[in-house]
Amino acid sequence: MHDFVIRGAAVIDGTETPRYTADVAVTDGAIAAIGADVGAAHRVIDADGLVLTPGFIDMHAHSDLQVLLNPAHPSWITQGVTCEVIGQDGLSYAPVTDETLAAVRKQIAGWNTDPDDFDFSWRTVGEYLDRLDEAGTATNLAYLVPHGLLRALTRGFDDGVATPSEVVRMQEILTQGLREGAVGLSTGLTYTPAMYADGAELDALLRTTARHGGYFSPHHRRYGAGAMDAYREMIDLSLATGCPLHLAHATLNFGPNKGRGPELLELLDAAIADGADISLDTYPYLPGATTLSAILPSWVAAGGTDAVLGRLRDPEALVRIREHLEHSGSDGCHGVTAEWDTIEISGVGNPRLAGYVGCTISRIATAEGRDPFDVCVGILLDDRLATGILQHVGHEENVRAIMRHRTHTGGSDGLLVGAKPHPRGWGTFARYLGHYSRDLGLMSLEECVGHLTGRAARRLKLVRRGLIREGFAADLALFDPDTVIDRATYESPRTPAAGFSHVFVRGVLALDDGALTGARAGGALRLTDEGVL
């Protein structure tokens, strides 16, 4: 007898082919049968009028700590996500030493918080993945080795070009992480310390990644001024090294890039025609999200948190910082000047600053009769760089153009902490299904589901996951195609998506009749010679 039978569902299987009606049986964590008469079950779920799909795959998530701190993980489960790729943007929590862990915890507190009472006892990638398995997680998780940590472990957080011996050491650490199960390499080329890497360093690391079967997922050097050159640098590296390339949050933001989506797509298509293996992910929103400290020039960011705070107190350094942020353009702000009316505080670490959440830098400056630059510096100092921000710099025509590309997948880039985080952490996948597919008709539901499942599974080399097939893992989402929609807003960003009734992770119900079960059936997915298991 089966554990479950999902009866009479409209099955959209992840291949982008037309839907069909069938019963789907789940037994021992796998899809046991698909058809008109699949046998008896301990529980039958009536799926009349509902769509059954593979669980969605978030190709760019930041749940590295939150999946352990908040095990029910409602933001992803309530929108049908059953797999996430973490270790993004070159910064996470493995591999580390005691010293580098202490530094990176401060650096990305605005992404994940920095709990004092949490057990950070792992040090290697393998130990981190083991912790995910031991704790049990709501979703399945694949991990990218963060390039910033490779640099931190070999030359600290300082600027400068890595020596050949340091690059070799980075390759050794990367190799260990890939052998322990990481699926590839990420980098954050506007974040310390990865931003200081030159082309030779990246070339060497991509060759190592390709040799072990992984892929490269860069947050590249510029998403504003010079964005096309930054994309081209990543594509050229992929072509030169043979390393598969997955362009993270492939957006074109800020004033210089308005209407340039088709230009990016032409660049991608030309590279693919030349033999490049390229995919990309986007989130279906206009604002971006990062930390306030990320907009600072790269020379300010050298040396870690205490060094940055010291420069923010130095009058001579502040003159230079102001010049970059308000006149010449900051490389930390993607080569453009800071537009204070587009930078909104989304979260703070210091409770005394809570009143700033939801306000732009310009609004705070006007209310307090202060200069916007001084407001920015004051917040960074008072919050010890832990401030999260939204940047309202996107262009709808670019968002729509890029999501139609044939290699596109979904990635939330969701940050879950702060008083008002970006709503994409709770709404990305429902927004694709409801707003862009059903309401705007930019793609069929079959195609949209393929973006969010089968395409991503191919990039990740998932074995027996990402499609509805007999013998595949029962990672499944059941929803009403007429009502599915994101409900998270900028004012209420933690509002669950509508329309989802049931979500299975490894054959266990994580969402049952719309209610979270708290199940922790997920765990780490590891790269092996056979693929990602």
Side-chain angles (χ1 to χ4, degrees):
M1 181 175 287
H2 300 300
D3 297 328
F4 299 92
V5 166
I6 304 163
R7 179 162 294 162
V11 177
I12 298 180
D13 63 9
T15 63
E16 303 182 40
T17 56
R19 71 191 74 184
Y20 60 89
T21 300
D23 297 348
V24 176
V26 174
T27 303
D28 295 331
I31 299 170
I34 304 170
D37 184 10
V38 297
H42 293 290
R43 180 175 172 188
V44 175
I45 297 173
D46 181 6
D48 183 42
L50 304 180
V51 166
L52 182 69
T53 71
F56 303 128
I57 299 170
D58 189 339
M59 289 296 292
H60 192 99
H62 285 282
S63 304
D64 309 46
L65 279 190
Q66 292 302 308
V67 74
L68 296 170
L69 294 170
N70 187 5
H73 212 35
S75 53
W76 269 268
I77 293 299
T78 54
Q79 55 177 318
V81 174
T82 61
C83 178
E84 305 169 64
V85 186
I86 56 176
Q88 301 283 354
D89 295 333
L91 293 167
S92 186
Y93 302 95
V96 291
T97 61
D98 291 353
E99 182 180 6
T100 56
L101 175 61
V104 80
R105 283 176 58 181
K106 293 178 182 178
Q107 183 176 1
I108 58 176
W111 294 1
N112 293 295
T113 73
D114 184 19
D116 292 331
D117 57 351
F118 185 75
D119 176 15
F120 288 92
S121 57
W122 68 80
R123 291 295 177 269
T124 68
V125 169
E127 290 169 351
Y128 173 70
L129 298 180
D130 288 344
R131 170 67 71 82
L132 297 177
D133 285 336
E134 292 162 3
T137 54
T139 57
N140 301 301
L141 296 128
Y143 190 74
L144 296 164
V145 178
H147 172 215
L149 295 184
L150 301 180
R151 277 190 69 97
L153 288 167
T154 55
R155 58 175 293 113
F157 288 82
D158 293 334
D159 58 1
V161 176
T163 66
S165 62
E166 288 170 341
V167 172
V168 169
R169 180 57 184 147
M170 287 185 223
Q171 290 177 289
E172 292 171 349
I173 302 169
L174 172 59
T175 296
Q176 179 182 345
L178 293 167
R179 287 176 174 170
E180 291 172 348
V183 298
L185 171 72
S186 79
T187 193
L189 296 174
T190 65
Y191 298 125
T192 305
M195 63 168 60
Y196 307 121
D198 64 2
E201 177 181 325
L202 294 171
D203 183 286
L205 294 176
L206 264 67
R207 292 182 187 278
T208 298
T209 302
R211 189 161 54 248
H212 292 278
Y215 72 92
F216 178 49
S217 183
H219 170 120
H220 55 254
R221 297 189 195 275
R222 300 272 179 98
Y223 287 84
M228 291 300 174
D229 289 338
Y231 278 115
R232 193 172 289 108
E233 179 191 13
M234 299 299 100
I235 291 168
D236 289 347
L237 280 166
S238 176
L239 282 166
T241 62
C243 186
L245 174 65
H246 181 81
L247 293 167
H249 38 53
T251 59
L252 280 170
N253 293 336
F254 302 95
N257 292 314
K258 185 174 177 59
R260 298 185 72 187
E263 185 179 342
L264 172 61
L265 301 183
E266 290 175 6
L267 178 65
L268 298 180
D269 288 339
I272 292 169
D274 286 342
D277 180 359
I278 299 176
S279 57
L280 58 98
D281 67 65
T282 66
Y283 50 82
Y285 297 85
L286 300 187
T290 186
T291 58
L292 184 57
S293 62
I295 73 171
L296 296 171
S298 57
W299 62 268
V300 179
T305 299
D306 290 338
V308 175
L309 293 173
R311 293 183 187 107
L312 292 174
R313 296 187 183 98
D314 179 350
E316 293 185 5
L318 286 174
V319 171
R320 292 180 60 198
I321 296 170
R322 183 189 288 272
E323 168 62 26
H324 285 284
L325 284 178
E326 296 194 329
H327 300 289
S328 62
S330 167
D331 53 359
C333 198
H334 305 284
V336 300
T337 57
E339 298 172 338
W340 301 119
D341 59 344
T342 69
I343 298 174
E344 176 186 346
I345 307 301
S346 61
V348 295
N350 184 342
R352 293 190 297 104
L353 303 175
Y356 289 158
V357 172
C359 300
T360 65
I361 297 292
S362 288
R363 180 178 170 185
I364 296 167
T366 299
E368 298 183 357
R370 300 169 61 198
D371 176 80
F373 175 79
D374 293 337
V375 169
C376 174
V377 171
I379 291 173
L380 288 169
L381 288 170
D382 291 343
D383 211 21
R384 293 189 58 81
L385 312 187
T387 311
I389 62 170
L390 303 180
Q391 284 184 285
H392 296 269
V393 292
H395 306 289
E396 180 67 19
E397 68 273 27
N398 288 342
V399 169
R400 294 189 189 190
I402 295 168
M403 74 168 62
R404 296 290 295 114
H405 195 263
R406 66 186 186 278
T407 69
H408 173 266
T409 64
S412 70
D413 197 14
L415 303 177
L416 300 179
V417 304
K420 289 188 176 180
H422 199 301
R424 65 194 184 193
W426 288 75
T428 287
F429 294 85
R431 185 168 176 81
Y432 271 121
L433 300 168
H435 180 62
Y436 284 98
S437 175
R438 181 192 62 228
D439 297 344
L440 297 182
L442 290 186
M443 63 189 84
S444 69
L445 187 56
E446 285 85 350
E447 183 184 353
C448 186
V449 169
H451 286 222
L452 308 180
T453 61
R455 294 185 186 186
R458 288 193 297 274
R459 167 52 73 213
L460 288 171
K461 298 182 179 179
L462 294 184
V463 176
R464 294 182 296 277
R465 275 192 164 84
L467 301 175
I468 295 181
R469 290 283 187 272
E470 291 185 2
F472 275 47
D475 296 336
L476 301 166
L478 188 66
F479 61 90
D480 185 336
D482 296 326
T483 63
V484 65
I485 197 66
D486 60 308
R487 297 189 300 179
T489 66
Y490 297 100
E491 287 302 313
S492 300
R494 291 186 171 88
T495 306
F500 288 88
S501 62
H502 297 79
V503 175
F504 291 84
V505 178
R506 303 191 186 193
V508 176
L509 279 169
L511 190 74
D512 189 358
D513 282 329
L516 290 163
T517 69
R520 302 187 193 182
L525 300 177
R526 292 172 170 84
L527 179 64
T528 71
D529 291 339
E530 300 175 19
V532 175
L533 299 169

